[in-house]
Amino acid sequence: MEKKVTKDDLFWMFVRSNFLLGSFNFERMQAIGFCVSMIPILKRVYTGDDLKAALRRHLEFFNTQPFVAAAIMGIIGAMEEKKANGADISEATLSGVKVGLIGPLAGVGDPIFWGTLRPVLAALGAGVALTGSLIGPMIFFIGFNAIRLATHWYGVQYGYEKGTALVENIGGNQMHFLTEGASVLGLLVMGALVAKWTSVNMPLVISEYTNSAGEHVVTTLQSILDSLMPSIVPLLMTFACMFLLKKGVNALTVIVGLFAIGIIGYAVGLMA
Amino acid sequence: MTIILLFIVAAITGMASVLDEAQFHRPVVACTMTGAVLGDMTTGIILGGTLEMMALGWMNVGAAMAPDAALASVVSTILVIVGHQSIGAGIALAVPLAAAGQVLTIFVRTITVFFQHLADKYAEEGSCRGIEMCHFAGLILQALRVAIPAIAIYLVAGTDTVNNALNSIPEVITRGLQVAGGFIVVVGYAMVINLMNAQKLMVYFFLGFLLAVFTDINLIGFGAIGAICAYFHIKGMQTEIHIDEVAASGGGGAKIEGDDIDDSELM
């Protein structure tokens, strides 16, 4: 009799995929979480020694962006179903597909979700939150989770439907276009944020005089900078941080360094 | 009662911090929930918004681990609301707390290696339940590593010793930290930009910067402009690929079209 994965199995796989990172560890990272997400399908199609072997192979190293991981679970689920029905799919093939998808999907998922979607929604929500309005956290939480849950749900469904075919789709130009387009959007917004949502004030007095009309004119470092290019200081700081982070300096070290600049800048009267 | 609710909220943020799914651990959500439990949600929201700006770039990418937003958010909210600290002081405290939280989660992620091997044993026995237990034991440890310190600090936050210690920080430090709070977010921006790692796309970053400096366009406007830029950018890439194909086939002659739509118009 043919063994068939049910809609229920896919639903529970979707639910479990939300806990992928629960047991993240330094040795095999998301391995237990991946195995736990596969269990509804594995229990459906295997028994006895076959089930033991399947559990073992899905406790292998696994680590990718957690939302796109749902698509990998769907694909592997489809392959396991075929294997249980006698298809000639070796353990090596299954591992190969799994590991092969980790990189490219993380490469797409990281810039889209961590690099663009979350910072943009979080910055939007945080901006409203500064006024003390509950709408701020809601924008971020509801907006992000709606997209996240849809990615999990359709990832499992699409992955399972397409099975091995999806592997070929990802090789095409479409994913590349999506990644580049998302980066363009993300970078433009990031450029705007550097100018809009930072504040540097340098009230260091450069010159002070009373003009012919009897008005007292004070020229500060900030007013000179503003007449040349407002927000130039945050821009240069951003580049300095990019450079340091690329050099492998720990982000917390950079943050501590910026705090030191703030304290020293305030102490010597350069900043306020 | 407050202690029980606070324990639950802290546990949820601890779990969310490792899962990185529902984002309960992000400051804008975590501070709001903690504030609500402590009876001053508005302060929680404002503190959360401020911390969120700073933490924009704190993300788990590949094997890298973000500073811990969960412990930082929950504990700094407790100190601001229960300990009557200023929001500026709360932000200043969040950084060392994020580092402390990171150490704690590293600790838990190391302990979980033991569960990984326990799971192997359950796989040999074919026990799905055993593997599931290993998984959720790791998750519970992550919950406790935020909940326990949060409760401990809640119990002492109102007492004079903590207050005196916090109030004895000199003004130059607190004001200086506030000044730094104005631009600390650049670290987050830098991380995101580095992540996108596209030198040739930096022109769009400068476009966004210049438009923001010299115009009053709001963020929704920037989203729309960004989408249009992305459209034309992809269009340009498609054209390049098309030209390459024509050139490669050699049979295109002088006929070089922009895209498929132009084909039919030229024919």
Side-chain angles (χ1 to χ4, degrees):
Chain A
M1 200 186 94
E2 181 164 311
K3 297 167 188 114
K4 185 89 188 84
V5 169
T6 65
K7 276 194 169 161
D8 265 16
D9 297 337
L10 290 178
F11 174 76
W12 287 110
M13 177 186 253
F14 156 75
V15 171
R16 287 168 181 234
S17 74
N18 285 283
F19 297 92
L20 175 65
L21 276 118
S23 54
F24 186 98
N25 63 76
F26 289 127
E27 188 188 312
R28 273 173 266 167
M29 303 200 167
Q30 305 165 349
I32 309 180
F34 188 86
C35 186
V36 166
S37 303
M38 293 300 298
I39 283 176
I41 284 180
L42 297 181
K43 274 208 301 210
R44 175 73 59 195
V45 299
Y46 292 119
T47 52
D49 284 348
D50 288 341
L51 177 62
K52 289 176 193 172
L55 291 173
R56 252 201 320 265
R57 68 173 160 263
H58 293 302
L59 282 173
E60 278 178 359
F61 171 86
F62 187 81
N63 191 38
T64 191
Q65 203 281 340
F67 309 166
V68 297
I72 303 182
M73 293 167 191
I75 293 166
I76 299 297
M79 291 175 77
E80 288 285 7
E81 184 187 22
K82 283 190 200 132
K83 183 178 166 66
N85 285 307
D88 184 23
I89 300 172
S90 66
E91 293 214 339
T93 309
L94 284 165
S95 296
V97 171
K98 237 168 87 176
V99 177
L101 286 173
I102 285 173
L105 282 185
V108 172
D110 283 338
I112 290 178
F113 294 106
W114 299 152
T116 309
L117 183 69
R118 190 170 70 184
V120 169
L121 279 177
L124 204 66
V128 177
L130 291 181
T131 65
S133 164
L134 187 59
I135 295 168
M138 298 300 260
I139 289 175
F140 169 67
F141 187 72
I142 295 171
F144 190 85
N145 277 297
I147 295 168
R148 176 185 73 85
L149 288 170
T151 310
H152 272 275
W153 176 255
Y154 289 108
V156 167
Q157 305 292 332
Y158 185 80
Y160 175 72
E161 271 171 36
K162 297 293 172 182
T164 47
L166 186 71
V167 186
E168 290 148 29
N169 285 351
I170 282 173
N173 281 323
Q174 272 165 332
M175 272 298 171
H176 185 53
F177 288 151
L178 183 62
T179 313
E180 284 251 335
S183 297
V184 169
L185 174 61
L187 282 171
L188 188 120
V189 171
M190 211 46 72
L193 291 185
V194 167
K196 275 185 178 291
W197 284 348
T198 54
S199 70
V200 175
N201 182 24
M202 298 187 157
L204 188 70
V205 175
I206 302 291
S207 72
E208 208 171 339
Y209 65 96
T210 307
N211 69 6
S212 50
E215 286 162 346
H216 192 65
V217 179
V218 181
T219 308
T220 65
L221 183 54
Q222 191 61 46
S223 65
I224 294 172
L225 288 174
D226 283 347
S227 65
L228 293 170
M229 173 71 81
S231 300
I232 187 77
V233 178
L235 183 69
L236 294 176
M237 283 176 168
T238 307
F239 288 142
C241 290
M242 284 166 63
F243 176 77
L244 290 172
L245 293 171
K246 266 189 195 151
K247 287 273 163 208
V249 179
N250 188 301
L252 282 174
T253 312
V254 180
I255 288 177
V256 170
L258 284 175
F259 273 121
I261 291 175
I263 292 167
I264 295 165
Y266 178 76
V268 301
L270 181 67
M271 293 172 154
Chain B
M1 188 62 195
T2 309
I3 291 184
I4 295 167
L5 286 174
L6 186 65
F7 186 87
I8 293 169
V9 164
I12 288 173
T13 64
M15 290 191 272
S17 155
V18 68
L19 290 173
D20 216 349
E21 292 278 349
Q23 311 297 318
F24 286 112
H25 66 299
R26 295 302 297 182
V28 74
V29 181
C31 294
T32 302
M33 293 197 304
T34 312
V37 165
L38 297 177
D40 186 357
M41 190 162 74
T42 310
T43 303
I45 293 171
I46 296 171
L47 177 64
T50 320
L51 275 181
E52 186 67 50
M53 294 284 198
M54 195 173 92
L56 274 185
W58 294 3
M59 56 180 103
N60 301 305
V61 173
M65 223 187 328
D68 182 49
L71 190 74
S73 304
V74 173
V75 172
S76 62
T77 310
I78 294 171
L79 290 173
V80 168
I81 294 175
V82 183
H84 303 292
Q85 292 298 311
S86 71
I87 286 187
I91 291 161
L93 289 162
V95 173
L97 285 167
Q102 202 176 17
V103 171
L104 287 173
T105 192
I106 286 171
F107 198 54
V108 173
R109 287 169 196 214
T110 310
I111 294 174
T112 318
V113 173
F114 164 76
F115 291 121
Q116 180 75 58
H117 290 272
L118 201 58
D120 289 343
K121 215 172 285 170
Y122 282 118
E124 297 299 329
E125 297 165 13
S127 165
C128 294
R129 183 49 45 92
I131 295 173
E132 285 159 10
M133 271 166 45
C134 290
H135 187 52
F136 289 100
L139 191 57
I140 288 166
L141 281 184
Q142 289 285 356
L144 293 179
R145 67 128 187 128
V146 176
I148 292 173
I151 294 300
I153 287 173
Y154 172 73
L155 292 176
V156 297
T159 64
D160 292 340
T161 37
V162 172
N163 276 347
N164 289 342
L166 291 171
N167 287 332
S168 65
I169 302 169
E171 199 215 334
V172 67
I173 301 283
T174 51
R175 287 281 297 132
L177 290 174
Q178 238 161 30
V179 169
F183 54 76
I184 208 87
V185 65
V186 297
V187 182
Y189 296 153
M191 285 172 126
V192 175
I193 296 163
N194 276 351
L195 182 74
M196 291 196 227
N197 191 28
Q199 298 284 333
K200 65 190 168 73
L201 298 181
M202 279 308 279
V203 62
Y204 295 103
F205 172 81
F206 290 112
L207 178 65
F209 177 77
L210 289 175
L211 285 174
V213 168
F214 295 111
T215 70
D216 278 333
I217 300 170
N218 70 12
L219 212 70
I220 296 165
F222 279 105
I225 295 169
I228 292 169
C229 287
Y231 171 79
F232 281 111
H233 181 79
I234 292 168
K235 205 81 169 155
M237 286 168 66
Q238 284 169 333
T239 309
E240 265 174 44
I241 290 166
H242 190 74
I243 290 171
D244 285 350
E245 278 168 2
V246 170
S249 71
K255 186 166 65 80
I256 297 174
E257 301 90 2
D259 58 27
D260 292 348
I261 301 157
D262 288 344
D263 274 2
S264 55
E265 285 167 0
L266 285 168
M267 293 284 191

